[in-house]
């Protein structure tokens, strides 16, 4: 019995080993096949890249671009094809398309030399766009792969200077906008205040006008009432005694111009009487002496 069990275990062990060996063979075959396919794709990519170079020699930009795209499609890790396509875009002033392709080339390449060239050219593409911040980063990446390149170092310094100038201009624009906004706010507040003052003044003028109109109406009403009172007074009958008094007053003689008043006449008569008495006294005195005296009036 034990012998049968032992034989069965050995048989199972052999079958397990056979299965493992088959899996290893299949895996190896797959790897070989994948490698063959990769090599085949890489070979095709190199062919498309060569055709692109030929198209460039003939100044056929469209065909060269198409061939580089095919090369990248066949071999996505083909950093050279991406680098060449990025440079092609740059030469045709298509910096927007150039910069991304050059970055792809720098990231995909395993060669420090190609990385340096790709990032350096990427920085130049950003500089042509006046996009200085990513240009600074691109030149830094280039120097990380080749610290000895003076041209890259110079381009980095220039990019930093342009970025600093741009930031200063932006700050100035922001300050200018802030001042302009403040001026506009001040003007708006001033206009609102003037509008409020004008409305207040209009209200006061209107109130004064209403008071003036009301006063004029009151004066007019008072005058009309006074006029009506005078008219009513004239229409009322006069008191007979008042009329008589007025008539008697009017009938009193007035002193004529050049005539003596009663008082003056009285005084004059008294003077004449006194004078006459003196004269009579003189006559009587002369009679007493026996002489006749002729009497005459002085007036």
């Amino acid at each position: 019995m034990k012998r049968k069990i032992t034989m069965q275990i050995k048989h199972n062990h052999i079958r397990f080993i056979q299965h493992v060996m088959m899996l290893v063979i299949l895996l190896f075959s797959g790897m070989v096949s994948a490698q063959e396919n990769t090599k085949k794709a890489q070979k095709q990519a190199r062919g498309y890249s060569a055709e692109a170079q030929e198209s460039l020699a003939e100044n056929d930009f469209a065909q060269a671009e198409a061939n580089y795209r095919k090369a990248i499609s066949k071999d996505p890790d083909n950093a050279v094809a991406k680098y060449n396509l990025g440079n092609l875009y740059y030469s045709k002033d298509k910096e927007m398309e150039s910069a991304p392709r050059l970055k792809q080339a720098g990231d995909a390449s395993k060669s420090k030399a190609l990385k340096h060239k790709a990032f350096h050219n990427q920085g130049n593409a950003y500089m042509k766009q006046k996009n200085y911040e990513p240009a600074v980063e691109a030149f830094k990446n280039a120097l990380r792969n080749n610290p000895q390149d003076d041209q890259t170092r110079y381009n980095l310094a220039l990019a930093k200077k342009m970025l600093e100038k741009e930031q200063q201009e932006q700050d100035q624009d922001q300050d200018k906008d802030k001042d302009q906004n403040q001026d506009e706010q001040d003007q708006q507040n001033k206009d609102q205040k003037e509008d409020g003052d004008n409305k207040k003044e209009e209200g006061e003028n209107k109130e004064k006008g209403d008071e003036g109109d009301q006063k004029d109406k009151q004066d007019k009403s008072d005058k009309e009432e006074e006029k009506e009172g005078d008219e009513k007074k004239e229409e009322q009958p006069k008191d007979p005694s008042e009329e008589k008094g007025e008539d008697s007053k009017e009938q009193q003689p007035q002193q004529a111009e050049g005539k003596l008043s009663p008082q003056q006449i009285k005084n004059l008569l008294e003077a004449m009487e006194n004078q006459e008495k003196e004269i009579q006294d003189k006559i009587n005195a002369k009679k007493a002496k026996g002489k006749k005296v002729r009497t005459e009036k002085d007036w």
Side-chain angles (χ1 to χ4, degrees):
M1 186 69 180
K2 291 182 178 180
R3 185 176 179 182
K4 289 182 179 181
I5 294 173
T6 303
M7 292 294 295
Q8 184 66 34
I9 293 173
K10 290 181 177 180
H11 180 72
N12 292 338
H13 183 67
I14 293 170
R15 291 186 62 184
F16 175 75
I17 293 174
Q18 289 176 347
H19 284 301
V20 171
M21 291 296 296
M22 288 180 64
L23 289 174
V24 171
I25 293 170
L26 289 173
L27 181 61
F28 180 77
S29 299
M31 291 178 61
V32 171
S33 178
Q35 290 178 352
E36 290 179 354
N37 291 334
T38 300
K39 291 181 179 179
K40 183 179 180 180
Q42 291 176 345
K43 183 178 180 180
Q44 291 176 341
R46 288 193 294 270
Y48 285 127
S49 295
E51 292 178 6
Q53 292 292 334
E54 293 177 0
S55 298
L56 284 177
E58 297 175 357
N59 293 323
D60 191 349
F61 168 77
Q63 188 60 47
E65 179 188 13
N67 288 329
Y68 278 130
R69 284 181 175 275
K70 290 178 181 179
I72 295 170
S73 177
K74 289 293 182 180
D75 184 10
D77 295 330
N78 190 331
V80 176
K82 293 177 179 179
Y83 174 77
N84 290 338
L85 181 58
N87 289 340
L88 177 61
Y89 284 135
Y90 184 86
S91 66
K92 296 299 180 181
D93 297 327
K94 292 188 176 184
E95 294 82 14
M96 295 291 292
E97 292 85 353
S98 174
R101 288 296 184 182
L102 290 169
K103 185 178 186 307
Q104 290 174 2
D107 293 339
S109 178
K110 296 179 181 180
S111 168
K112 282 185 172 294
L114 184 58
K115 280 180 175 292
H116 166 257
K117 292 180 181 180
F119 288 129
H120 178 94
N121 290 353
Q122 181 196 14
N124 289 339
Y126 280 129
M127 289 292 286
K128 288 186 71 173
Q129 298 177 57
K130 296 182 179 181
N131 198 355
Y132 303 116
E133 187 171 0
V136 170
E137 188 62 28
F139 288 130
K140 286 182 178 179
N141 288 333
L143 285 175
R144 290 187 183 102
N145 291 278
N146 185 5
Q148 307 301 323
D149 192 325
D150 292 336
Q151 184 64 46
T152 302
R153 187 176 292 104
Y154 172 81
N155 289 359
L156 175 60
L158 180 61
K160 286 182 176 180
K161 183 177 180 180
M162 298 302 294
L163 178 60
E164 182 179 357
K165 182 179 179 181
E166 182 182 62
Q167 291 175 343
Q168 290 176 352
E169 291 176 352
Q170 289 176 354
D171 292 340
Q172 291 175 358
D173 292 339
Q174 289 178 356
D175 293 339
K176 185 177 180 181
D177 292 340
K178 184 177 180 180
D179 293 339
Q180 184 176 358
N181 293 335
Q182 185 63 42
D183 292 341
E184 291 177 355
Q185 184 64 38
D186 293 342
Q187 185 64 37
Q188 184 177 359
N189 294 337
K190 183 179 178 181
D191 294 340
Q192 290 177 354
K193 185 176 183 300
E194 290 179 354
D195 291 340
D197 294 341
N198 292 336
K199 289 181 180 179
K200 182 178 179 181
E201 185 176 356
E202 289 176 0
E204 292 176 352
N205 292 336
K206 184 178 180 182
E207 184 178 354
K208 290 180 180 179
D210 294 339
E211 291 178 356
D213 294 341
Q214 187 175 1
K215 185 177 180 182
D216 293 340
K217 290 179 180 178
Q218 185 65 36
D219 293 342
K220 186 176 181 181
S221 178
D222 294 341
K223 289 181 180 180
E224 290 177 354
E225 291 179 359
E226 183 179 354
K227 184 177 179 182
E228 290 177 358
D230 294 339
E231 290 177 354
K232 290 180 180 180
K233 186 176 180 181
E234 291 176 357
E235 292 175 358
Q236 291 178 357
K238 296 182 179 180
D239 190 350
S241 61
E242 292 180 357
E243 292 181 357
K244 184 177 180 180
E246 291 177 357
D247 293 341
S248 61
K249 185 177 181 181
E250 290 176 356
Q251 291 174 1
Q252 289 180 0
Q254 297 180 355
Q255 180 180 346
E257 294 181 1
K259 293 182 180 182
L260 297 175
S261 65
Q263 184 64 36
Q264 289 176 335
I265 294 173
K266 182 179 179 181
N267 295 335
L268 183 57
L269 289 173
E270 289 178 355
M272 290 175 64
E273 287 178 356
N274 292 331
Q275 187 177 9
E276 185 177 357
K277 184 178 178 182
E278 291 177 357
I279 294 172
Q280 189 65 38
D281 291 340
K282 289 179 180 181
I283 292 173
N284 293 333
K286 287 181 179 183
K287 284 181 178 181
K289 292 180 179 181
K291 293 183 180 180
K292 295 181 180 180
V293 179
R294 185 179 179 182
T295 61
E296 293 182 355
K297 292 182 179 180
D298 293 335
W299 53 278

